[in-house]
């Protein structure tokens, strides 16, 4: 019997060489899940190269302090950005990925944060420092989203009523698809604004 064929998922999708977007997952929300899958589609349609970050959460991560979680995420995202040799022009991140918003603020890289963890002071402070175009998308039923903080920031904000941390509506699959459509439309508009 021959060896089974190994399948590998691509993590890089080529577009413009000088415009790379790094896509950063959440804890259990990989780049294959709908929000990040369609983020990649938007970016590719607009001519960007997309580098997806697929990470393996370390054993015991649930016991990490917030400071240790931030350091771990920042290390992963910094490595991904630096691997692009100056071509990274955008970071799109989900949830846990938003712990790296200090990196994008300090490096002056535009960012789109899907369900950023606004309940962590480090994230809110970094978003206050961020001067580059930034999009924040969250749901009013997400306990990690803070409507008051989002509204206080000078960034582009889309808050989706009744949407949870996955930007889905409880017991409403069709409604969740409509929420996804709104997210994709806003993300498309935001990415388009970076081309100007």
């Amino acid at each position: 019997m021959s060896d089974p064929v190994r399948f590998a998922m691509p993590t890089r999708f080529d577009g413009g060489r000088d415009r790379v977007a790094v896509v950063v997952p959440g804890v259990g929300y990989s780049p294959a899940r709908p929000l990040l899958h369609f983020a990649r589609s938007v970016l590719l349609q607009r001519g960007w190269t997309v580098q997806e970050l697929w990470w393996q959460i370390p054993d015991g991560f649930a016991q990490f302090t917030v400071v240790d979680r931030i350091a771990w995420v920042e290390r992963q995202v910094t490595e991904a950005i630096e691997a692009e040799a100056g071509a990274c022009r955008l970071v799109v991140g989900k949830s846990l990925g938003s712990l790296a918003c200090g990196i994008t603020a300090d490096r002056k890289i535009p960012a789109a944060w899907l369900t950023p963890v606004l309940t962590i002071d480090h994230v809110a402070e970094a978003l206050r420092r961020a001067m580059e175009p930034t999009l924040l998308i969250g749901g009013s039923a997400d306990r990690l989203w803070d409507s008051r903080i989002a509204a206080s920031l000078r960034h582009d904000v889309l808050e989706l009523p009744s949407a949870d941390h996955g930007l889905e509506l409880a017991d409403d699959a069709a409604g969740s698809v409509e929420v996804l459509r709104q997210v994709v439309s806003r993300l498309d508009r935001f990415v388009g604004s970076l081309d100007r």
Side-chain angles (χ1 to χ4, degrees), residues 106-149:
D106 294 344
R107 291 174 179 244
K108 299 180 175 33
I109 298 172
W113 301 113
L114 311 176
T115 69
V117 186
L118 296 181
T119 55
I120 293 179
D121 290 341
H122 170 84
V123 172
E125 296 295 325
L127 289 170
R128 283 188 187 92
R129 282 196 334 265
M131 301 306 287
E132 295 301 314
T134 302
L135 172 63
L136 307 174
I137 301 179
S140 66
D142 178 1
R143 61 183 179 79
L144 301 178
W145 173 262
D146 186 313
S147 299
R148 184 184 53 77
I149 290 173

Side-chain angles (χ1 to χ4, degrees), residues 20-89:
V20 177
V22 173
V23 173
V24 184
V27 172
Y29 204 98
S30 78
R33 301 281 307 267
L35 294 168
L36 297 179
H37 167 81
F38 285 106
R40 179 184 73 213
S41 296
V42 163
L43 290 159
L44 291 173
Q45 286 175 4
R46 291 203 169 264
W48 287 69
T49 288
V50 178
Q51 177 61 59
E52 295 176 339
L53 181 55
W54 290 70
W55 53 34
Q56 190 69 31
I57 300 295
D59 291 337
F61 190 73
Q63 284 72 48
F64 280 26
T65 66
V66 171
V67 171
D68 289 340
R69 288 180 188 193
I70 292 167
W72 184 84
V73 170
E74 286 184 339
R75 197 165 40 254
Q76 310 304 310
V77 173
T78 297
E79 287 175 11
I81 290 170
E82 288 180 352
E84 298 305 329
C88 179
R89 303 273 186 263

Side-chain angles (χ1 to χ4, degrees), residues 148-172:
R148 184 184 53 77
I149 290 173
S152 76
L153 300 168
R154 56 170 197 72
H155 302 305
D156 186 3
V157 175
L158 172 62
E159 180 173 292
L160 298 148
S162 303
D164 62 18
H165 192 61
L167 294 179
E168 296 181 19
L169 304 177
D171 303 319
D172 186 355

